[in-house]
Every structure is written in C-alpha cells, then in structure tokens.
Amino acid sequence: MAAVFLVTLYEYSPLFYIAVVFTCFIVTTGLVLGWFGWDVPVILRNSEETQFSTRAFKKQMRQVKNPFGLEITNSSSASLAAGMTLTTDCLEDSRLTCFWGCSVQKLYEALQKHVYCFRINTPQALEEALYSDYLHREQYFFVLLAICLYILKSIKKHSKEEIYCQLPRDTEIEDFGPVPRSRYPLVALLTLADEDDREIYDIISMVSVIHIPDKTYKLPCRVLYQYLLLAQGQFYDLKQLFMSANSSPSPSSNPSPADRKAEQSLLEKAGLAGSEAEPVEESSKDCVVCQNGGVNWVLLPCRHTCLCDSCVCYFKQCPMCRQFVQESFALCSQKEPDKDMLETS
C-alpha cells in the first residue's frame, strides 16, 4: 500500500505540490491572524485592537505613613537673589538641611548608595554620600548658654514652621547656567531627629529637589522631585495623583435670596410648594463615568484617579486622557459585605 501511495504521489506530483503550498498558506494565515491563540506577533491588527486585548493588572496598594511634609510658601516671590520660604509639617520632631548647588550626578549616586551601601538617615550621611559636592549647606542653629556651642535645631512636630532659606551673597552666584544643568539649585533633606522614631516609621528621610528662578532660568519656583527613603534600603519617587473634581458652581448660577423668595411665593400660589428640602451638597469626588460612586481607583501610568469600584472593570483606556491602562490600584480596600446582613436578606 505504501508503494502504491508513493507511486500515486509521483504520478500526480503537480497536485501534491499545490496541496502542500495551499496547506502552508492556510497555516501561515492562521498564525498571523491569531486563529490558534498562540503567542505570536500580530501584524495585521491595528495598534488599538492589540492594546485593547491586553489585560490591565491590578496592583496591591501598600499603605505607608509619611512623617514628613514640606511645601513652598509664596512661590511666586521666591528667587535666587531674594531667597525663599519653606513650610514644614512633620508628624515627629525632624531636622531640615538645605544643600545649595548640589551636583545632579552625585545626588543620584547618593540615592544608589542608600540602596546598596548605607542608609541616609542623617544630614551627615547625605553629605558623605555627596562627597561634599555642593556649593553651600544651610542648617538652623541656636546658641546654648551663650557660649560658642551650636546645636542643630529640631523642627517640632505639627508646628508648621516657616523657614527662610537664602544662598549667601558672598558666594557671588547669580544663576546655575543654561539648561541642562549640572547642579540643582536647592536640595532639601528632612530627617527624623529622634533615633527611636526611625524604628517606628518605614520612611526615615525625604529628599526634595527644588527649582528656584534666577537670571537664566526664570520659571516659577516649584518642587521638581521628591524621594522617600525607606529604612529597608529602597527609595520611591513621590508623584502627584490627578484627582477628578467637579467644579463648584459659579456665583452667577446661584439664585439670590430675593429671587429664591419670589420663586417660592409663585409655587405657593400654584399649590406646588411643599416643605423646603435642604440643599444637597455636591460631591467633588464623583466618578467621571457614572457620576454616582466615589472615586477610588488610580490608573497607571497616567495616574488619573477618576473611576469608582463599579466602573473600573469596564475600561481598558483612561476616560480622561485615553491612554491605555497597564496597571491600577485602589485607594481604599473594598469592604466585604456583612455576613449577618447576607443571612437575613
């Protein structure tokens, strides 16, 4: 039978070659179009269909208490010549150290040293990691017992102290050169003053990179980066979330008391006026899709926080910027329903 089959294939060889080519064509088409469900490159689909078919993974949010708070006061009036004011709001007694003209390269090398070498939990540790590659270091001292002994001033917790910082004029520095720069204008380091507090908090220090306008670069003063340094040797880039908020109604849209009284009298004459209900307070954190549930989910990498628990499962693209969602996490964990309520229902 085998010999007869081979002889038959030899006699009808043109049909055999056509069948082989047709079979190869069908298999190749199936691979390209993804008929078999294998993990092969899909080249005939558009990019939106390919991205839409990918699954958005949900991340587990880790709640960490940050003991440090730092913001710029009156950023519009801050400059390199006039100085700036920083406001601290810390949960524990902390220390603030400002490094003016800090080297960009040395700063990121110092962050890597925090991961692999030693922990940056004191101003001296950061100074050693920077190899003193900065122009001026500013700390806050007070005199003890009227003698020449200076002690680093601790910022008291919940004090919201305003601290004025300025680069000394004797340095004769008017700007830090054109962009891209090799030095940051100001790097502010917040550390815990009490050693016992470093064992309580996961975050032991916070590094803030601050831009200050000068003659060359006149953009407003603002915080460029903030890094949270953990006791375990990691550091995280603190980024802002873009929360959705309903704009409050304009004053012109609110009726005046006289108009409201006239409208109420007309309703009374028509017999349509009932008991006056209390105005419903408009929520400023409603889901942008259903306008009912509270905003709870953060979409990555765009960091828009605009969806509730019910709507997040229906979106592969951010409804705000249309960027594809790669990951997401919940701000508050979903509460499990009460078992007693389920049993009685």
Side-chain angles (χ1 to χ4, degrees):
M1 293 295 295
V4 174
F5 180 71
L6 292 175
V7 171
T8 305
L9 289 179
Y10 178 76
E11 291 178 354
Y12 299 97
S13 57
L15 297 177
F16 173 73
Y17 291 134
I18 293 175
V20 170
V21 172
F22 181 74
T23 304
C24 294
F25 174 76
I26 294 297
V27 172
T28 304
T29 304
L31 291 175
V32 171
L33 297 179
W35 292 346
F36 307 107
W38 297 341
D39 189 12
V40 295
V42 181
I43 61 175
L44 295 184
R45 299 181 187 178
N46 57 34
S47 59
E48 294 185 358
E49 292 178 353
T50 304
Q51 293 285 347
F52 188 80
S53 63
T54 59
R55 180 183 177 184
F57 296 96
K58 294 182 179 179
K59 301 183 66 175
Q60 187 69 25
M61 184 182 67
R62 178 186 175 188
Q63 295 183 358
V64 180
K65 183 180 291 186
N66 182 15
F68 305 110
L70 182 69
E71 62 180 4
I72 302 172
T73 306
N74 297 327
S75 59
S76 59
S77 61
S79 65
L80 187 62
M84 61 178 300
T85 303
L86 297 175
T87 303
T88 59
D89 186 9
C90 302
L91 301 180
E92 302 293 341
D93 296 346
S94 305
R95 297 176 178 178
L96 176 64
T97 309
C98 297
F99 297 90
W100 291 87
C102 180
S103 171
V104 175
Q105 181 179 357
K106 295 300 181 182
L107 176 61
Y108 290 102
E109 288 180 0
L111 294 177
Q112 294 300 322
K113 290 178 182 178
H114 174 78
V115 178
Y116 298 106
C117 299
F118 53 87
R119 304 294 173 257
I120 299 177
N121 52 9
T122 60
Q124 293 76 14
L126 180 58
E127 185 176 1
E128 294 176 2
L130 292 174
Y131 291 106
S132 301
D133 193 356
Y134 55 86
L135 301 180
H136 177 71
R137 185 184 68 174
E138 191 173 12
Q139 292 180 326
Y140 302 93
F141 299 89
F142 66 91
V143 180
L144 178 63
L145 299 178
I147 61 176
C148 297
L149 177 62
Y150 293 92
I151 299 179
L152 182 63
K153 180 180 178 182
S154 297
I155 301 170
K156 298 300 180 182
K157 58 182 180 181
H158 304 296
S159 61
K160 293 186 178 181
E161 295 187 14
E162 292 187 357
I163 301 175
Y164 178 73
C165 307
Q166 185 180 16
L167 184 64
R169 296 184 178 181
D170 55 6
T171 56
E172 299 181 356
I173 297 175
E174 297 181 352
D175 57 58
F176 290 94
V179 180
R181 292 175 166 178
S182 60
R183 295 182 180 274
Y184 285 129
L186 180 62
V187 174
L189 174 68
L190 274 172
T191 55
L192 294 171
D194 192 353
E195 295 183 0
D196 296 335
D197 294 336
R198 300 169 192 168
E199 300 178 357
I200 301 176
Y201 293 92
D202 292 335
I203 300 173
I204 56 177
S205 57
M206 183 176 73
V207 177
S208 302
V209 180
I210 302 174
H211 164 71
I212 303 176
D214 51 28
K215 291 185 177 181
T216 305
Y217 202 44
K218 297 183 179 180
L219 288 181
C221 181
R222 60 191 178 96
V223 177
L224 297 177
Y225 310 102
Q226 281 187 325
Y227 300 100
L228 301 178
L229 278 61
L230 277 66
Q232 294 79 14
Q234 302 91 355
F235 70 91
Y236 296 111
D237 185 4
L238 190 63
K239 295 184 178 180
Q240 183 180 6
L241 296 181
F242 302 106
M243 300 287 294
S244 62
N246 297 329
S247 59
S248 58
S250 60
S252 60
S253 62
N254 295 331
S256 61
D259 296 339
R260 196 175 300 171
K261 185 176 181 180
E263 183 180 357
Q264 183 69 16
S265 62
L266 290 176
L267 290 175
E268 290 177 355
K269 291 179 181 180
L272 300 176
S275 59
E276 186 177 356
E278 296 181 357
V280 180
E281 183 179 358
E282 184 181 5
S283 173
S284 61
K285 294 182 180 179
D286 290 338
C287 175
V288 298
V289 178
C290 65
Q291 297 293 316
N292 187 23
V295 169
N296 190 34
W297 283 87
V298 180
L299 308 180
L300 299 178
C302 64
R303 306 198 306 277
H304 279 118
T305 310
C306 55
L307 294 178
C308 63
D309 296 330
S310 302
C311 297
V312 67
C313 58
Y314 298 103
F315 286 87
K316 301 294 184 182
Q317 291 177 279
C318 175
M320 301 293 292
C321 63
R322 309 306 300 168
Q323 186 172 359
F324 287 99
V325 180
Q326 299 179 3
E327 293 176 325
S328 62
F329 66 89
L331 291 176
C332 301
S333 59
Q334 300 180 5
K335 298 181 180 179
E336 297 181 358
D338 193 357
K339 294 182 179 180
D340 298 335
M341 295 295 293
L342 292 177
E343 291 177 358
T344 56
S345 60

